[in-house]
Amino acid sequence: MSDHLTVVDHPLVQHKLTLMRDKDTSTAVFRQLLREITQLLAYEITREMPLTTRTIQTPIEEMEAPILAGKKMALVSILRAGNGMLDGVLELVPSARVGFVGLYRDPVTLKPVQYYFKAPEGLKDRLVIAVDPMLATGNSSAAAIDLLKEAGATDIRFLCLLAAPEGVARMKEAHPDVPIVTGALDRELNEKAYIVPGLGDAGDRMFGTK
Ligand code: URA
């Protein structure tokens, strides 16, 4: 992918995103929509996966047929909201391995601190897709990408549902080599670091914790 930021303006994505933003949308519908949009976004983020060919026999004749080449995918959820995007990608790429990164913000330093990290083996040979629905300040996303790079990942993409300009700028500064695919680029962050207009707390809305 050559662009640092891709906003997927497909009508189905935009329609489903509007339903998700609506504060009256139920937890069950929110979760289902997230799964559906993630599939559509995953379609976009995997667009340039390299192909090779394999000789197969159709019922009619032999052919050289396209098939994904080499690199296997690692999907990495940034806890906890990233978990809501796993199924959507795994439905498209069932063979992907899955990792998890858990970070919390230290109340004194305000810096992200790692509390959990588990990644599939051979990250350096994989296309790594990090998922988190909300790219807000970008601090935890940038820290998660730091950890993935320390673990050997070299080909990383970031998939989110909504992005704030502040988060995109932070990621561009920290990781200009990591393309971002999002459903929308919203206006700004508020004083509590929520995306505006946004959809509220994605984790609370998908897990019904509020
Ligand atoms: N995380 C969320 O869940 N929502 C926001 O608006 C920002 C960060």
Side-chain angles (χ1 to χ4, degrees):
M1 301 197 105
S2 47
D3 291 344
H4 186 252
L5 179 71
T6 303
V7 179
V8 180
D9 60 359
H10 191 288
L12 282 175
V13 172
Q14 297 309 312
H15 174 82
K16 290 174 193 291
L17 196 45
T18 297
L19 301 180
M20 291 185 77
R21 289 180 189 274
D22 189 330
K23 69 178 180 47
D24 293 326
T25 295
S26 70
T27 297
V29 172
F30 186 93
R31 205 183 291 140
Q32 175 62 25
L33 288 164
L34 179 58
R35 181 191 184 112
E36 291 169 8
I37 295 193
T38 302
Q39 280 196 344
L40 297 164
L41 298 175
Y43 178 80
E44 192 60 41
I45 211 165
T46 52
R47 180 178 287 283
E48 288 163 25
M49 281 179 91
L51 289 171
T52 181
T53 58
R54 175 188 292 173
T55 311
I56 58 160
Q57 189 75 43
T58 80
I60 311 298
E61 66 169 20
E62 188 176 282
M63 76 174 284
E64 281 296 305
I67 192 156
L68 289 174
K71 277 196 170 179
K72 298 283 184 229
M73 185 190 289
L75 186 58
V76 178
S77 166
I78 301 176
L79 298 173
R80 74 180 156 151
N83 282 12
M85 299 179 77
L86 290 179
D87 285 349
V89 183
L90 287 171
E91 275 159 18
L92 283 191
V93 190
S95 63
R97 302 299 166 92
V98 182
F100 298 89
V101 180
L103 299 159
Y104 70 91
R105 196 190 335 191
D106 183 291
V108 178
T109 65
L110 301 182
K111 295 226 165 81
V113 181
Q114 171 194 332
Y115 67 85
Y116 190 75
F117 184 81
K118 184 85 183 169
E121 290 189 345
L123 275 195
K124 73 174 178 20
D125 301 317
R126 295 180 185 274
L127 166 64
V128 177
I129 299 187
V131 292
D132 188 349
M134 309 300 271
L135 176 55
T137 63
N139 289 334
S140 56
S141 310
I145 304 294
D146 283 338
L147 293 172
L148 292 170
K149 286 184 174 174
E150 280 165 27
T154 55
D155 186 3
I156 310 174
R157 293 170 205 186
F158 187 85
L159 186 62
C160 59
L161 183 63
L162 283 187
E166 294 88 336
V168 173
R170 172 83 184 91
M171 283 286 279
K172 187 160 192 176
E173 166 196 284
H175 299 292
D177 56 319
V178 175
I180 299 166
V181 170
T182 184
L185 179 61
D186 272 11
R187 195 172 69 244
E188 60 190 352
L189 293 180
N190 68 13
E191 64 293 345
K192 290 186 174 157
Y194 277 94
I195 298 178
V196 182
L199 49 72
D201 189 303
D204 281 343
R205 292 200 63 193
M206 77 181 73
F207 297 122
T209 41
K210 204 169 170 220

